[in-house]
Amino acid sequence: MNRFILGLQFHNFRHSSKIVNIFYNPLSVSSPISVWKILSIKLATNSNTRAFKDCDSESHKISAENTTTTTTWTPNATEERESAFKRTFRVLKEDLWNIRNSQINSREQRIPSEVDIAIIGGGIMGSSIAYWLKQRAPESFNLIVLERDPTYTCASTTLSVGGIRQQFSLPENIQLSLFSASFLRNIKRHLSVLDQDPPDIAFQPHGYLFLATEDGAAQMEANHKLQVELGAKIDLLSPSKLKEKFPWIRTDGIALASHGLENEGWFDPWSLLSAFKRKAISLGAQYVDGEVINFEFDKEHEKIIEESDDPYYSVNHLLVKTKTGDIKKIKFAVLIVAAGPSTGQVAKMLRIGTGPGILKPPLPVEPSFLYFFPFQSEEPDGTDLDVDYTFFNKSVWPVLAERVPAFEKIKMLSAWAGFYDYNTLDQNAIVGHHPYYNNIFFATGFSGHGIQMAPGVGRAVMELILDGSYESIDLTRFGVKRVIMNEPLLERNIV
Amino acid sequence: MPDTEYLYYCQTSHFVIRIPRGGSKIKKKDKPRKRWMICSAMYLFSRSLKTVQVPLCVIRYTTLGFSRLFNENNPQFPRKPEENLTSVFSLFKPRKGIGVDVLSFLHQKWDFSISGFQRWNKRRKEALFLQDQCYIPERHNILGPDLASAHFIVHRGGCVKFVGQDIWLKKDEDDNYDLPSQYKPNMYLEKIDASGIPLAYEGFDNLVNLLHLKSLTLHDSPHLDDWCLDRFHQFRSLEHLDISGCQQVTERGICTLHKLKNLKKLNLTGVSGVKNLELVCLLLEDVLPELRIEGVNYMDTSILGQASPEK
């Protein structure tokens, strides 16, 4: 006898929720895996069926040239319905193929062919979001994090200074930073994994000092008022007080100074990243070593875009290239793009910037090259991570020596270079779902502030996905809408 | 903000209780009842699925979908007053449907082992402890900062001393202590001895605005770490600080003490977590010329015999 199970179809995350009858006969089941496949296929198909391309488990070698956005965003041409018998046999064949593969390559990672939530980017943002999602509902959904470089050699996170400060001019930034400070303070409680040492981020609470000339003094006072209102402990210093506190600074030309007293300093970003990653994995997230090369789009006939003839294409499949060169297709319900400096490329794969209508404005996140000396600085271009040591002598040292006379005799100890995920529009975060795709969320564009806002942004994105709206800190102003409408939200008077 | 139409307006963390002024009709609609039926059916369904070993994705798909179904498209708070109360259950209707936490609770595996119970108990005790330490505004409003801090410290087992008095006040074996329960002017805290009592970061929220505090003793304080030391700038008049025996303090926290401009005596005996203690103390004494540090032996030549640090 067949048993009926009422369930909800869950093909496209937000809107399409139809009640579908699913048949399954537990007595005739040969293996649990095939049941899963049958059910998931039934769940996934709606009235608009499309034949599955059979590249789930077989290893394809698709050359890089074929996977450009112009050629492969086109939807699947054949929309014939697969017969049930054919589908069953195909599923069973894939299962046997999987078992055979797993016996041969038992050490290789098993990439699932379907997940509920996929996160592109395993840096601090991706790991933070994975942690927050998993700690809210550990057994309720499947989560993978796709990271192309598990050694994090070029990642912005590991090459960053790891500073945290509350001296911003936008209230959202201040609140995020304050929450992150309280999270880091309680990190042993949040991110300890059983049987392992609690994480230690080596926080140095030294405070940031901002100096303002006459022109910027009024803005600094306004910023300070907002910061204190929101709970940050910042001290405003006149030039005489500044001289008293730090006698080694030359105060000519300084009208006002702002010194952070508490919750400001720097910490070790690598230990924070590994703490997040370890905790997320212990809660059930899976980190996959692979690079996303493309997406597959499904045409949805039911959805019509207003005032436009273009059909609506939703995206629920991504193609990931593993380190052995195999290309695997993964089906997801929700996608989170936290790829740092490469987010621009991922957005291009999603037709953002090349598509019609609302997809026309591109996502303005680019990698911006940075030098870090023992005294941090900024730099124009560069593409690789070699340091130009003469830059320090040319541009950085004169400015430092002018402000602090004792620095005339300094010697550079070391230097390294890294990338920012630089938001060319307004250097502030882009967080939220894209208005065209209702199941794609972005958490990028932090332009150097990502590490200090990661816990706060992780929690905000988790609330947005699981609760439907921001509950604690409202980041609607950081949404993708301002990118589309070209309304920059600039920080005033702050780097 | 409470609406004038409503007599009582109460907000708990998840839902709003509104009790209208008398006279509104309570119409019976079967929608809430249907929801409760579906909820119970869902619960049974998810539990039964777990026993039948059906893969998790079905449960996830279905139950996550249900939470979206019940999620009302009204994230704004509070609910519009035009909505009529439909039945007595809708008074307790959560603002946002079932919610993720209920479903997550239904999905989770339960740990009935003894060590699991011990871990749960430990977490519960920690949460209670932190709740006990948090700042209560009424206490400061009624008593003023000095008396409120005194009550806070003495109640938890510490001693305090006021300006102009010679005796240390602490509670006796019956947990009684002699502190005024109303604001009295000219009572200023001069010394606090919180040795051995558990005082967390949140507890220091209560020790604000102590303008005459000269001495703070935190000997063997188990929860004192760098973050707590970071916030000692709130004791601007502090002259004597004793943090001996605190294991979680590191050199980074000790560096933050440069903000205490009036500090004259610092006791660092037995802080074993600090590396390069002598160097840090020298730097600190350089910044604060009147400071004398106890517990540090600058003449200790045994460190010269040790292997040099990794280079």
Side-chain angles (χ1 to χ4, degrees):
Chain A
M1 278 309 275
N2 283 341
R3 252 195 243 167
F4 296 84
I5 296 182
L6 267 178
L8 279 179
Q9 180 182 317
F10 204 28
H11 176 61
N12 211 348
F13 181 70
R14 259 175 209 264
H15 294 303
S16 55
S17 50
K18 305 178 201 160
I19 299 197
V20 163
N21 285 341
I22 307 173
F23 300 81
Y24 102 101
N25 188 349
L27 298 173
S28 70
V29 148
S30 51
S31 85
I33 303 171
S34 45
V35 171
W36 172 38
K37 286 279 183 183
I38 294 170
L39 282 172
S40 56
I41 290 164
K42 269 281 184 192
L43 283 171
T45 53
N46 51 11
S47 55
N48 227 5
T49 49
R50 51 178 285 285
F52 270 75
K53 276 195 200 163
D54 52 354
C55 69
D56 272 35
S57 52
E58 287 143 56
S59 42
H60 265 46
K61 300 265 193 276
I62 298 182
S63 62
E65 291 84 54
N66 287 350
T67 56
T68 53
T69 47
T70 48
T71 50
T72 48
W73 76 263
T74 50
N76 206 0
T78 54
E79 289 185 21
E80 38 186 74
R81 204 182 278 266
E82 211 183 357
S83 92
F85 289 111
K86 263 199 179 162
R87 196 160 48 226
T88 313
F89 282 124
R90 178 174 56 78
V91 162
L92 286 172
K93 189 175 88 174
E94 277 169 12
D95 286 342
L96 293 172
W97 186 261
N98 270 339
I99 295 170
R100 191 196 132 202
N101 272 345
S102 64
Q103 279 171 354
I104 297 175
N105 318 317
S106 53
R107 290 232 192 99
E108 265 184 28
Q109 55 182 352
R110 299 207 55 206
I111 302 180
S113 47
E114 283 173 29
V115 289
D116 293 310
I117 301 185
I119 302 181
I120 299 183
I124 192 70
M125 275 304 152
S127 301
S128 164
I129 296 173
Y131 159 72
W132 279 102
L133 280 166
K134 267 299 178 180
Q135 67 87 23
R136 183 91 184 266
E139 310 278 340
S140 305
F141 52 83
N142 218 357
L143 191 147
I144 57 165
V145 179
L146 296 154
E147 171 56 50
R148 69 177 169 193
D149 179 16
T151 55
Y152 297 102
T153 41
C154 306
S156 309
T157 308
T158 47
L159 295 169
S160 80
V161 169
I164 178 167
R165 60 177 163 103
Q166 280 86 50
Q167 295 183 57
F168 293 100
S169 65
L170 289 174
E172 290 95 348
N173 281 336
I174 303 172
Q175 284 170 324
L176 282 172
S177 186
L178 278 171
F179 172 73
S180 300
S182 72
F183 183 87
L184 295 175
R185 190 175 69 234
N186 294 318
I187 195 174
K188 289 192 168 53
R189 203 174 348 133
H190 291 299
L191 298 183
S192 288
V193 177
L194 201 59
D195 297 338
Q196 289 186 24
D197 290 332
D200 179 23
I201 50 165
F203 176 64
Q204 306 244 26
H206 277 219
Y208 274 66
L209 178 70
F210 280 80
L211 307 172
T213 54
E214 273 298 332
D215 308 328
Q219 183 61 55
M220 184 177 261
E221 274 188 45
N223 290 349
H224 173 258
K225 185 157 168 284
L226 177 65
Q227 287 150 14
V228 165
E229 216 175 305
L230 290 170
K233 309 268 182 11
I234 320 276
D235 219 7
L236 264 187
L237 303 165
S238 63
S240 52
K241 284 231 181 83
L242 178 67
K243 194 77 187 174
E244 227 180 272
K245 213 168 187 184
F246 304 108
W248 37 268
I249 293 185
R250 198 182 278 159
T251 54
D252 332 325
I254 304 288
L256 202 56
S258 152
H259 181 221
L261 293 171
E262 227 186 284
N263 291 334
E264 290 200 352
W266 58 93
F267 57 90
D268 179 18
W270 170 252
S271 38
L272 182 63
L273 172 64
S274 38
F276 268 131
K277 180 171 173 178
R278 204 175 59 173
K279 185 74 181 178
I281 291 177
S282 81
L283 288 168
Q286 187 188 354
Y287 273 68
V288 168
D289 181 9
E291 181 180 356
V292 174
I293 48 172
N294 219 331
F295 293 90
E296 278 184 10
F297 297 84
D298 315 322
K299 189 173 189 176
E300 298 216 9
H301 292 298
E302 297 148 356
K303 294 202 176 137
I304 302 170
I305 308 177
E306 273 180 23
E307 294 167 20
S308 151
D309 292 328
D310 304 300
Y312 179 81
Y313 290 99
S314 67
V315 55
N316 276 105
H317 301 270
L318 57 85
L319 292 169
V320 62
K321 183 173 175 187
T322 58
K323 59 180 187 280
T324 51
D326 303 340
I327 302 209
K328 179 119 199 232
K329 182 160 78 170
I330 301 180
K331 184 181 161 82
F332 58 85
V334 175
L335 180 74
I336 303 168
V337 181
S342 323
T343 317
Q345 294 168 15
V346 176
K348 281 206 193 75
M349 289 179 210
L350 287 166
R351 303 169 62 209
I352 298 173
T354 53
I358 213 174
L359 288 176
K360 228 190 228 128
L363 204 71
V365 176
E366 288 166 10
S368 153
F369 190 65
L370 256 302
Y371 280 150
F372 298 92
F373 299 103
F375 317 94
Q376 189 175 340
S377 72
E378 300 219 11
E379 211 293 294
D381 347 278
T383 42
D384 59 18
L385 294 176
D386 287 331
V387 180
D388 177 13
Y389 291 95
T390 57
F391 177 76
F392 179 78
N393 292 329
K394 269 188 306 197
S395 318
V396 178
W397 178 73
V399 180
L400 281 175
E402 194 232 313
R403 189 49 61 194
V404 182
F407 283 169
E408 278 163 17
K409 304 190 202 75
I410 51 170
K411 186 168 163 261
M412 178 173 43
L413 294 172
S414 70
W416 74 94
F419 290 108
Y420 271 0
D421 48 342
Y422 192 75
N423 180 354
T424 48
L425 179 69
D426 53 13
Q427 295 87 55
N428 266 321
I430 300 179
V431 177
H433 72 94
H434 197 277
Y436 186 87
Y437 299 111
N438 51 17
N439 61 341
I440 296 190
F441 296 83
F442 287 96
T444 176
F446 292 95
S447 316
H449 310 139
I451 190 80
Q452 58 186 291
M453 296 185 186
V457 170
R459 183 177 68 157
V461 173
M462 177 270 284
E463 287 166 358
L464 188 62
I465 295 176
L466 294 180
D467 291 321
S469 62
Y470 295 113
E471 300 286 313
S472 43
I473 304 176
D474 190 2
L475 300 181
T476 3
R477 287 208 298 170
F478 283 162
V480 187
K481 183 176 164 209
R482 81 179 196 280
V483 167
I484 292 173
M485 311 294 283
N486 202 15
E487 293 161 1
L489 183 67
L490 290 155
E491 279 270 345
R492 282 181 234 99
N493 224 19
I494 301 282
V495 295
Chain B
M1 288 295 115
D3 233 330
T4 48
E5 293 173 16
Y6 291 85
L7 190 66
Y8 182 73
Y9 185 106
C10 155
Q11 179 201 346
T12 61
S13 59
H14 291 292
F15 46 85
V16 177
I17 302 175
R18 284 168 180 250
I19 302 175
R21 280 187 205 278
S24 80
K25 263 197 208 163
I26 298 183
K27 265 191 243 165
K28 237 191 182 180
K29 268 197 204 161
D30 49 357
K31 212 173 163 194
R33 206 193 293 155
K34 232 194 213 168
R35 278 203 189 150
W36 282 102
M37 277 171 49
I38 296 181
C39 289
S40 46
M42 264 308 309
Y43 172 71
L44 290 172
F45 162 66
S46 65
R47 299 308 295 170
S48 69
L49 279 184
K50 278 204 178 247
T51 58
V52 173
Q53 286 292 314
V54 168
L56 220 46
C57 78
V58 175
I59 305 170
R60 286 180 216 126
Y61 274 149
T62 49
T63 48
L64 265 180
F66 262 113
S67 80
R68 304 311 288 180
L69 181 70
F70 285 151
N71 223 346
E72 291 169 346
N73 279 331
N74 192 6
Q76 288 154 23
F77 171 83
R79 221 185 278 125
K80 300 193 183 74
E82 299 91 64
E83 269 186 37
N84 289 326
L85 286 179
T86 48
S87 83
V88 76
F89 283 119
S90 54
L91 281 174
F92 302 96
K93 187 162 65 173
R95 178 166 61 92
K96 282 198 138 206
I98 289 184
V100 179
D101 299 308
V102 172
L103 293 169
S104 164
F105 173 73
L106 291 175
H107 291 144
Q108 275 187 25
K109 306 183 181 97
W110 292 344
D111 185 5
F112 287 120
S113 65
I114 294 180
S115 52
F117 172 75
Q118 283 170 346
R119 276 196 298 272
W120 170 82
N121 205 21
K122 187 169 157 214
R123 270 201 308 268
R124 191 184 64 97
K125 287 207 173 114
E126 259 179 38
L128 282 174
F129 165 66
L130 286 173
Q131 212 175 16
D132 175 56
Q133 296 270 306
C134 66
Y135 174 73
I136 303 175
E138 287 83 18
R139 186 163 51 195
H140 275 253
N141 287 338
I142 296 172
L143 293 170
D146 295 87
L147 275 175
S149 312
H151 271 271
F152 179 81
I153 296 284
V154 171
H155 180 73
R156 281 153 187 80
C159 327
V160 295
K161 184 172 158 328
F162 286 92
V163 171
Q165 297 178 8
D166 280 331
I167 46 158
W168 284 88
L169 287 162
K170 64 169 145 185
K171 68 176 182 182
D172 56 15
E173 305 88 42
D174 300 323
D175 285 350
N176 296 326
Y177 49 91
D178 181 26
L179 277 174
S181 53
Q182 276 181 348
Y183 173 67
K184 280 219 167 72
N186 294 329
M187 285 194 81
Y188 301 119
L189 264 186
E190 192 183 22
K191 300 189 183 183
I192 291 179
D193 182 358
S195 307
I197 65 169
L199 195 62
Y201 180 92
E202 286 80 2
F204 285 100
D205 281 336
N206 293 286
L207 306 177
V208 289
N209 283 335
L210 298 170
L211 302 167
H212 297 258
L213 187 70
K214 294 242 170 32
S215 157
L216 184 58
T217 312
L218 292 163
H219 170 71
D220 277 342
S221 185
H223 297 271
L224 193 78
D225 60 2
D226 294 338
W227 295 87
C228 299
L229 285 180
D230 190 22
R231 69 178 301 177
F232 277 10
H233 67 88
Q234 70 191 33
F235 306 122
R236 286 189 192 240
S237 54
L238 202 63
E239 289 174 10
H240 169 233
L241 179 62
D242 179 358
I243 49 173
S244 49
C246 299
Q247 308 297 326
Q248 295 190 51
V249 172
T250 68
E251 64 276 7
R252 298 180 287 269
I254 296 180
C255 284
T256 63
L257 296 176
H258 74 271
K259 293 179 211 144
L260 297 168
K261 292 297 176 196
N262 294 319
L263 197 63
K264 296 191 174 58
K265 251 175 66 171
L266 178 62
N267 190 339
L268 291 176
T269 357
V271 281
S272 47
V274 179
K275 293 197 205 85
N276 305 321
L277 180 62
E278 293 79 14
L279 179 63
V280 167
C281 295
L282 278 172
L283 290 171
L284 200 57
E285 288 190 350
D286 204 20
V287 176
L288 302 170
E290 293 174 38
L291 179 64
R292 295 286 164 266
I293 305 185
E294 282 169 34
V296 152
N297 188 359
Y298 296 116
M299 298 298 148
D300 186 8
T301 48
S302 63
I303 53 168
L304 295 173
Q306 288 166 11
S308 63
E310 36 325 299
K311 232 336 181 219

